[in-house]
Coordinates of all heavy atoms in Angstrom, one line a residue:
S1 N 161.9 264.3 20.5 CA 160.6 265.0 20.6 C 160.7 266.2 21.6 O 160.1 267.2 21.4 CB 159.5 264.0 21.1 OG 158.3 264.6 21.3
R2 N 161.5 266.0 22.7 CA 161.6 267.0 23.7 C 162.4 268.2 23.1 O 162.0 269.4 23.2 CB 162.3 266.5 24.9 CG 162.6 267.5 26.0 CD 163.3 267.0 27.2 NE 164.6 266.5 26.9 CZ 165.5 266.2 27.7 NH1 165.3 266.3 29.0 NH2 166.7 265.8 27.3
T3 N 163.5 267.9 22.4 CA 164.3 268.9 21.8 C 163.5 269.7 20.7 O 163.6 270.9 20.7 CB 165.6 268.3 21.1 OG1 166.3 267.7 22.2 CG2 166.4 269.4 20.5
A4 N 162.7 269.0 20.0 CA 161.9 269.6 18.9 C 160.8 270.5 19.6 O 160.6 271.6 19.1 CB 161.2 268.5 18.1
T5 N 160.2 270.1 20.7 CA 159.3 271.0 21.4 C 159.9 272.2 21.9 O 159.4 273.3 21.8 CB 158.6 270.2 22.5 OG1 158.0 269.0 22.0 CG2 157.6 271.0 23.3
I6 N 161.1 272.1 22.5 CA 161.9 273.2 23.0 C 162.2 274.2 21.9 O 162.1 275.4 22.0 CB 163.1 272.8 23.8 CG1 162.7 272.1 25.1 CG2 164.0 274.0 24.1 CD1 163.8 271.4 25.9
N7 N 162.6 273.6 20.8 CA 163.0 274.5 19.6 C 161.8 275.2 19.0 O 161.8 276.4 18.7 CB 163.7 273.6 18.5 CG 165.1 273.3 18.9 OD1 165.7 273.9 19.8 ND2 165.6 272.2 18.3
R8 N 160.6 274.5 19.0 CA 159.4 275.1 18.6 C 159.0 276.3 19.5 O 158.6 277.4 19.1 CB 158.2 274.1 18.5 CG 158.3 273.3 17.2 CD 157.0 272.5 17.0 NE 156.6 271.7 18.1 CZ 157.0 270.5 18.3 NH1 157.8 269.9 17.5 NH2 156.6 269.8 19.4
L9 N 159.1 276.0 20.8 CA 158.8 277.1 21.8 C 159.7 278.3 21.6 O 159.3 279.4 21.6 CB 159.0 276.5 23.2 CG 158.8 277.4 24.4 CD1 157.4 278.1 24.3 CD2 159.0 276.7 25.7
R10 N 161.0 278.0 21.4 CA 162.0 279.1 21.2 C 161.6 279.9 20.0 O 161.7 281.1 19.9 CB 163.4 278.6 21.1 CG 164.0 278.1 22.4 CD 165.4 277.6 22.3 NE 166.3 278.7 21.9 CZ 166.9 278.8 20.7 NH1 166.7 277.9 19.8 NH2 167.6 279.9 20.5
G11 N 161.2 279.2 18.9 CA 160.9 279.8 17.6 C 159.6 280.7 17.8 O 159.6 281.8 17.2
I12 N 158.6 280.2 18.4 CA 157.4 280.9 18.6 C 157.7 282.2 19.4 O 157.2 283.3 19.0 CB 156.3 280.1 19.3 CG1 155.8 279.0 18.3 CG2 155.1 280.9 19.8 CD1 155.0 277.9 19.0
L13 N 158.4 282.0 20.5 CA 158.7 283.2 21.3 C 159.6 284.2 20.6 O 159.4 285.4 20.7 CB 159.4 282.8 22.6 CG 158.5 282.0 23.6 CD1 159.3 281.5 24.8 CD2 157.3 282.8 24.0
S14 N 160.5 283.7 19.8 CA 161.4 284.7 19.1 C 160.6 285.5 18.0 O 161.0 286.6 17.7 CB 162.5 283.9 18.4 OG 162.1 283.1 17.3
A15 N 159.5 284.9 17.5 CA 158.7 285.6 16.6 C 158.0 286.9 17.2 O 157.6 287.8 16.5 CB 157.6 284.7 16.0
F16 N 158.0 286.8 18.5 CA 157.4 288.0 19.3 C 158.5 288.7 20.0 O 158.2 289.5 21.0 CB 156.3 287.5 20.3 CG 155.1 287.0 19.6 CD1 155.0 285.6 19.2 CD2 154.1 287.8 19.2 CE1 153.9 285.2 18.5 CE2 153.0 287.4 18.5 CZ 152.9 286.0 18.2
G17 N 159.7 288.5 19.6 CA 160.8 289.3 20.2 C 161.5 288.8 21.5 O 162.3 289.4 22.1
V18 N 161.0 287.6 21.9 CA 161.6 287.0 23.1 C 162.6 285.9 22.7 O 162.2 284.9 22.2 CB 160.5 286.4 24.0 CG1 161.2 285.7 25.2 CG2 159.5 287.4 24.5
V19 N 163.9 286.3 22.8 CA 164.9 285.4 22.3 C 165.6 284.7 23.6 O 166.0 285.4 24.5 CB 166.0 286.1 21.5 CG1 167.1 285.2 21.1 CG2 165.4 286.8 20.3
L20 N 165.6 283.4 23.5 CA 166.1 282.6 24.6 C 167.3 281.8 24.1 O 167.3 281.4 23.0 CB 165.1 281.6 25.2 CG 163.8 282.3 25.8 CD1 162.8 281.3 26.2 CD2 164.2 283.1 27.1
P21 N 168.3 281.5 25.0 CA 169.5 280.8 24.6 C 169.1 279.3 24.2 O 168.0 278.9 24.5 CB 170.3 280.7 25.9 CG 169.8 281.8 26.7 CD 168.4 282.0 26.4
L22 N 170.0 278.7 23.5 CA 169.8 277.3 23.1 C 169.7 276.3 24.2 O 169.0 275.3 24.0 CB 170.9 276.9 22.1 CG 171.0 277.5 20.8 CD1 172.2 277.1 20.1 CD2 169.8 277.1 20.0
K23 N 170.3 276.5 25.3 CA 170.3 275.5 26.4 C 168.9 275.3 26.9 O 168.2 276.2 27.3 CB 171.2 276.1 27.5 CG 171.6 275.0 28.5 CD 172.7 275.5 29.4 CE 173.0 274.4 30.4 NZ 174.0 274.9 31.4
A24 N 168.5 274.0 26.9 CA 167.2 273.6 27.3 C 166.8 274.0 28.7 O 165.7 274.5 29.0 CB 167.0 272.1 27.1
S25 N 167.8 273.8 29.6 CA 167.5 274.2 31.0 C 167.2 275.7 31.2 O 166.3 276.1 32.0 CB 168.6 273.8 32.0 OG 169.8 274.4 31.6
T26 N 167.9 276.5 30.4 CA 167.6 277.9 30.4 C 166.2 278.3 29.9 O 165.5 279.1 30.4 CB 168.7 278.7 29.6 OG1 170.0 278.3 30.1 CG2 168.6 280.2 29.7
V27 N 165.9 277.6 28.8 CA 164.5 277.8 28.2 C 163.5 277.5 29.3 O 162.5 278.2 29.5 CB 164.3 277.0 26.9 CG1 162.9 277.0 26.5 CG2 165.3 277.4 25.9
R28 N 163.6 276.3 30.0 CA 162.7 275.9 31.0 C 162.6 277.0 32.1 O 161.5 277.3 32.6 CB 163.1 274.6 31.7 CG 162.8 273.4 30.8 CD 163.2 272.2 31.6 NE 163.4 271.1 30.8 CZ 164.7 270.7 30.3 NH1 165.7 271.4 30.7 NH2 164.8 269.7 29.6
L29 N 163.7 277.5 32.5 CA 163.7 278.5 33.6 C 163.2 279.9 33.3 O 162.5 280.5 34.1 CB 165.2 278.6 34.2 CG 165.7 277.4 34.9 CD1 167.2 277.6 35.3 CD2 164.9 277.2 36.2
H30 N 163.6 280.3 32.1 CA 163.3 281.7 31.7 C 162.0 282.0 30.9 O 161.6 283.1 30.8 CB 164.5 282.3 31.0 CG 165.7 282.4 31.9 ND1 165.9 283.3 32.9 CD2 166.8 281.6 31.9 CE1 167.0 283.1 33.5 NE2 167.6 282.1 32.9
T31 N 161.4 280.9 30.4 CA 160.2 281.2 29.6 C 159.1 281.8 30.4 O 158.5 282.8 30.0 CB 159.7 279.8 29.0 OG1 160.7 279.3 28.1 CG2 158.4 280.0 28.2
A32 N 158.8 281.2 31.5 CA 157.7 281.8 32.4 C 157.9 283.2 32.8 O 157.0 284.0 32.8 CB 157.5 280.9 33.6
A33 N 159.2 283.6 33.0 CA 159.5 285.0 33.4 C 159.3 286.0 32.3 O 159.1 287.1 32.5 CB 160.9 285.0 33.9
R34 N 159.3 285.5 31.0 CA 159.3 286.4 29.9 C 157.9 286.3 29.2 O 157.7 287.0 28.2 CB 160.4 286.0 28.9 CG 161.8 285.9 29.4 CD 162.5 287.2 29.4 NE 162.5 288.0 28.2 CZ 163.4 288.0 27.2 NH1 164.4 287.2 27.3 NH2 163.2 288.8 26.2
L35 N 157.0 285.5 29.7 CA 155.7 285.4 29.0 C 154.9 286.7 29.0 O 154.1 286.9 28.1 CB 154.8 284.3 29.7 CG 155.3 282.9 29.4 CD1 154.4 281.9 30.1 CD2 155.3 282.6 27.9
N36 N 155.1 287.6 29.9 CA 154.3 288.8 29.9 C 154.7 289.7 28.7 O 154.0 290.7 28.4 CB 154.6 289.6 31.2 CG 156.0 290.0 31.4 OD1 156.9 289.4 30.8 ND2 156.2 291.0 32.2
E37 N 155.7 289.3 27.9 CA 156.1 290.1 26.8 C 155.4 289.6 25.5 O 155.7 290.2 24.4 CB 157.7 289.9 26.6 CG 158.4 290.5 27.8 CD 159.9 290.2 27.7 OE1 160.5 290.2 26.5 OE2 160.6 289.9 28.7
V38 N 154.6 288.6 25.6 CA 153.9 288.1 24.4 C 152.4 288.1 24.6 O 151.9 288.2 25.7 CB 154.4 286.6 24.0 CG1 155.9 286.6 23.7 CG2 154.1 285.7 25.1
P39 N 151.6 288.0 23.5 CA 150.2 288.0 23.6 C 149.7 286.8 24.5 O 150.3 285.8 24.6 CB 149.7 287.9 22.2 CG 150.8 288.4 21.3 CD 152.0 288.0 22.1
V40 N 148.5 287.0 25.0 CA 147.9 286.0 25.9 C 147.8 284.7 25.3 O 148.0 283.6 25.9 CB 146.5 286.5 26.5 CG1 145.8 285.4 27.3 CG2 146.7 287.8 27.3
M41 N 147.4 284.6 24.0 CA 147.2 283.4 23.3 C 148.5 282.7 23.2 O 148.6 281.4 23.3 CB 146.6 283.6 21.9 CG 146.2 282.4 21.2 SD 145.2 282.9 19.8 CE 144.7 281.4 19.2
V42 N 149.6 283.4 23.0 CA 150.9 282.8 22.9 C 151.4 282.3 24.3 O 152.0 281.3 24.4 CB 151.9 283.8 22.3 CG1 153.4 283.3 22.3 CG2 151.5 284.2 20.9
Q43 N 151.0 283.1 25.3 CA 151.3 282.7 26.7 C 150.7 281.3 27.0 O 151.4 280.4 27.5 CB 150.8 283.7 27.7 CG 151.5 285.0 27.7 CD 150.8 286.0 28.6 OE1 150.1 285.7 29.5 NE2 151.2 287.3 28.4
A44 N 149.5 281.1 26.6 CA 148.8 279.8 26.8 C 149.5 278.7 26.1 O 149.7 277.6 26.6 CB 147.3 279.9 26.4
L45 N 149.8 279.0 24.8 CA 150.5 278.0 24.0 C 151.9 277.6 24.6 O 152.3 276.4 24.7 CB 150.7 278.4 22.6 CG 151.5 277.5 21.6 CD1 150.8 276.2 21.5 CD2 151.7 278.2 20.3
A46 N 152.6 278.6 25.1 CA 153.9 278.4 25.7 C 153.8 277.6 26.9 O 154.7 276.7 27.2 CB 154.6 279.8 25.9
L47 N 152.8 277.9 27.7 CA 152.6 277.1 29.0 C 152.3 275.6 28.7 O 152.8 274.7 29.3 CB 151.5 277.7 29.8 CG 151.9 279.1 30.5 CD1 150.7 279.7 31.2 CD2 153.1 278.9 31.5
E48 N 151.5 275.4 27.6 CA 151.2 274.0 27.2 C 152.5 273.3 26.8 O 152.7 272.1 27.1 CB 150.2 274.0 26.1 CG 148.8 274.4 26.5 CD 147.8 274.4 25.3 OE1 148.1 273.7 24.3 OE2 146.8 275.0 25.5
M49 N 153.3 274.0 26.0 CA 154.5 273.4 25.5 C 155.5 273.1 26.7 O 156.1 272.1 26.7 CB 155.2 274.4 24.5 CG 154.3 274.5 23.2 SD 155.0 275.6 22.0 CE 156.1 274.5 21.2
L50 N 155.5 274.0 27.7 CA 156.4 273.8 28.8 C 155.9 272.5 29.6 O 156.7 271.7 30.1 CB 156.4 275.0 29.8 CG 157.3 276.1 29.4 CD1 157.1 277.3 30.3 CD2 158.7 275.7 29.3
A51 N 154.6 272.4 29.7 CA 154.0 271.2 30.3 C 154.4 269.9 29.6 O 154.7 268.9 30.2 CB 152.5 271.3 30.5
E52 N 154.3 270.0 28.3 CA 154.7 268.9 27.4 C 156.2 268.5 27.6 O 156.6 267.4 27.8 CB 154.4 269.2 26.0 CG 154.9 268.1 25.0 CD 154.1 266.8 25.2 OE1 153.1 266.7 25.8 OE2 154.7 265.7 24.7
V53 N 157.0 269.5 27.7 CA 158.5 269.3 28.0 C 158.7 268.7 29.3 O 159.4 267.7 29.5 CB 159.3 270.6 27.9 CG1 160.7 270.5 28.4 CG2 159.3 271.2 26.4
A54 N 157.9 269.1 30.3 CA 158.0 268.5 31.7 C 157.6 267.1 31.6 O 158.2 266.2 32.3 CB 157.2 269.3 32.7
H55 N 156.5 266.8 30.9 CA 156.1 265.4 30.7 C 157.1 264.5 30.1 O 157.4 263.4 30.5 CB 154.8 265.4 29.9 CG 154.3 264.0 29.6 ND1 153.7 263.1 30.5 CD2 154.3 263.3 28.4 CE1 153.4 262.0 29.9 NE2 153.8 262.1 28.6
L56 N 157.7 265.1 29.0 CA 158.8 264.3 28.3 C 160.0 264.1 29.2 O 160.6 263.1 29.2 CB 159.1 265.0 27.0 CG 158.1 265.0 25.9 CD1 158.4 266.0 24.8 CD2 157.8 263.6 25.4
D57 N 160.3 265.1 30.0 CA 161.4 265.0 31.0 C 161.2 263.8 31.9 O 162.1 263.0 32.2 CB 161.6 266.3 31.8 CG 162.2 267.4 31.0 OD1 162.9 267.2 30.0 OD2 162.1 268.6 31.5
E58 N 159.9 263.7 32.4 CA 159.6 262.6 33.3 C 159.7 261.3 32.6 O 160.2 260.3 33.2 CB 158.2 262.8 33.9 CG 158.1 263.8 35.0 CD 159.0 263.5 36.2 OE1 159.0 262.4 36.6 OE2 159.8 264.4 36.6
R59 N 159.2 261.2 31.4 CA 159.3 259.9 30.6 C 160.8 259.5 30.5 O 161.1 258.4 30.6 CB 158.6 260.1 29.3 CG 157.1 260.1 29.4 CD 156.5 260.1 28.1 NE 156.8 258.9 27.3 CZ 156.7 258.7 26.0 NH1 156.2 259.7 25.3 NH2 157.1 257.6 25.4
I60 N 161.6 260.5 30.2 CA 163.1 260.2 30.0 C 163.7 259.8 31.3 O 164.4 258.8 31.4 CB 163.8 261.4 29.4 CG1 163.3 261.6 28.0 CG2 165.3 261.3 29.5 CD1 163.7 263.0 27.4
K61 N 163.3 260.5 32.4 CA 163.8 260.2 33.7 C 163.4 258.8 34.1 O 164.2 258.1 34.8 CB 163.3 261.2 34.7 CG 163.7 261.0 36.1 CD 163.1 262.1 37.0 CE 163.4 261.8 38.5 NZ 162.7 262.8 39.3
C62 N 162.2 258.3 33.8 CA 161.7 257.0 34.2 C 162.3 255.9 33.4 O 162.0 254.7 33.6 CB 160.2 257.0 34.1 SG 159.5 257.9 35.4
R63 N 163.2 256.2 32.4 CA 163.9 255.1 31.8 C 164.9 254.4 32.7 O 165.3 253.3 32.4 CB 164.6 255.6 30.5 CG 163.6 255.9 29.4 CD 164.3 256.3 28.2 NE 163.3 256.6 27.2 CZ 163.4 256.4 25.9 NH1 164.5 255.9 25.5 NH2 162.5 256.7 25.1
V64 N 165.2 255.1 33.7 CA 166.1 254.5 34.8 C 165.2 254.2 36.0 O 164.7 255.2 36.6 CB 167.2 255.5 35.2 CG1 168.1 254.8 36.3 CG2 168.1 255.8 34.0
P65 N 164.8 253.0 36.2 CA 163.8 252.6 37.2 C 164.0 253.3 38.6 O 163.0 253.6 39.2 CB 163.8 251.1 37.3 CG 164.4 250.7 36.0 CD 165.3 251.8 35.6
D66 N 165.2 253.4 39.1 CA 165.4 254.0 40.4 C 165.0 255.5 40.5 O 164.7 256.0 41.5 CB 166.9 253.9 40.8 CG 167.3 252.4 41.0 OD1 166.4 251.6 41.2 OD2 168.5 252.2 41.0
D67 N 164.9 256.1 39.3 CA 164.6 257.5 39.3 C 163.1 257.8 39.2 O 162.6 258.9 39.4 CB 165.2 258.3 38.1 CG 166.7 258.4 38.3 OD1 167.2 258.3 39.4 OD2 167.4 258.6 37.3
C68 N 162.3 256.7 38.9 CA 160.9 256.9 38.8 C 160.2 257.0 40.1 O 160.6 256.3 41.1 CB 160.3 255.7 38.0 SG 160.7 255.7 36.3
V69 N 159.1 257.7 40.1 CA 158.3 257.8 41.3 C 157.4 256.5 41.3 O 156.7 256.3 40.3 CB 157.4 259.0 41.3 CG1 156.4 259.1 42.5 CG2 158.3 260.3 41.3
P70 N 157.4 255.7 42.4 CA 156.6 254.5 42.3 C 155.1 254.8 42.2 O 154.6 255.8 42.7 CB 156.9 253.8 43.6 CG 157.4 254.9 44.5 CD 158.0 255.9 43.6
D71 N 154.4 253.9 41.6 CA 152.9 254.0 41.4 C 152.3 254.0 42.8 O 152.8 253.3 43.7 CB 152.4 252.9 40.5 CG 151.0 253.0 40.2 OD1 150.4 254.2 40.3 OD2 150.4 252.0 39.9
E72 N 151.3 254.7 43.0 CA 150.6 254.7 44.3 C 150.1 253.4 44.7 O 149.9 253.0 45.9 CB 149.5 255.8 44.3 CG 150.0 257.2 44.3 CD 148.8 258.2 44.3 OE1 147.7 257.8 44.7 OE2 149.1 259.3 44.0
R73 N 149.8 252.5 43.7 CA 149.2 251.2 44.0 C 150.4 250.2 44.0 O 150.6 249.5 43.1 CB 148.2 250.8 43.0 CG 147.0 251.8 43.0 CD 145.9 251.2 42.3 NE 145.4 250.0 43.1 CZ 144.4 249.3 42.8 NH1 143.7 249.5 41.7 NH2 144.1 248.2 43.5
T74 N 151.1 250.1 45.1 CA 152.1 249.1 45.3 C 151.5 247.8 45.6 O 150.3 247.7 45.8 CB 153.1 249.5 46.4 OG1 152.3 249.5 47.7 CG2 153.7 250.8 46.2
D75 N 152.2 246.8 45.6 CA 151.7 245.4 46.0 C 151.0 245.4 47.3 O 150.0 244.9 47.5 CB 152.8 244.4 45.9 CG 153.3 244.1 44.5 OD1 152.5 244.4 43.6 OD2 154.4 243.6 44.3
E76 N 151.7 246.1 48.3 CA 151.1 246.2 49.6 C 149.8 247.0 49.6 O 148.8 246.6 50.2 CB 152.1 246.8 50.6 CG 153.3 246.0 50.9 CD 154.2 246.6 51.8 OE1 153.9 247.7 52.4 OE2 155.4 246.2 51.9
G77 N 149.8 248.1 48.9 CA 148.6 248.9 48.8 C 147.4 248.2 48.1 O 146.3 248.3 48.5
A78 N 147.7 247.5 47.1 CA 146.7 246.7 46.4 C 146.2 245.6 47.2 O 145.0 245.3 47.2 CB 147.3 246.2 45.1
S79 N 147.1 244.9 48.0 CA 146.6 243.9 48.9 C 145.7 244.4 50.0 O 144.7 243.8 50.3 CB 147.8 243.2 49.6 OG 148.6 242.6 48.6
A80 N 146.1 245.6 50.5 CA 145.3 246.2 51.6 C 143.9 246.6 51.1 O 142.9 246.6 51.8 CB 146.0 247.4 52.2
A81 N 143.9 247.1 49.8 CA 142.6 247.6 49.2 C 141.7 246.4 49.0 O 140.5 246.6 49.0 CB 142.9 248.3 47.9
T82 N 142.2 245.2 48.7 CA 141.3 244.1 48.4 C 141.0 243.3 49.7 O 140.1 242.4 49.6 CB 142.0 243.1 47.4 OG1 143.3 242.7 47.9 CG2 142.2 243.9 46.1
A83 N 141.7 243.6 50.8 CA 141.4 242.8 52.0 C 140.2 243.3 52.8 O 139.7 244.3 52.6 CB 142.6 242.9 52.9

């Protein structure tokens, strides 16, 4: 899903003359810098797609529990809130 989103983003941008390399990390880094080259509506869509990619990155990252950011409501926090 992440790769498909990145490829869709690259395709949309390329339709407006913004060609980005295949490497996903490059797409993440350079899309925002090149948005001024496309219409405002496409800019908004590209930003939404970048946000979706970031969300998918976090989901993938969280498959390894040590890499996940702990939930704000830890056992201690939940106990303190109910005390």
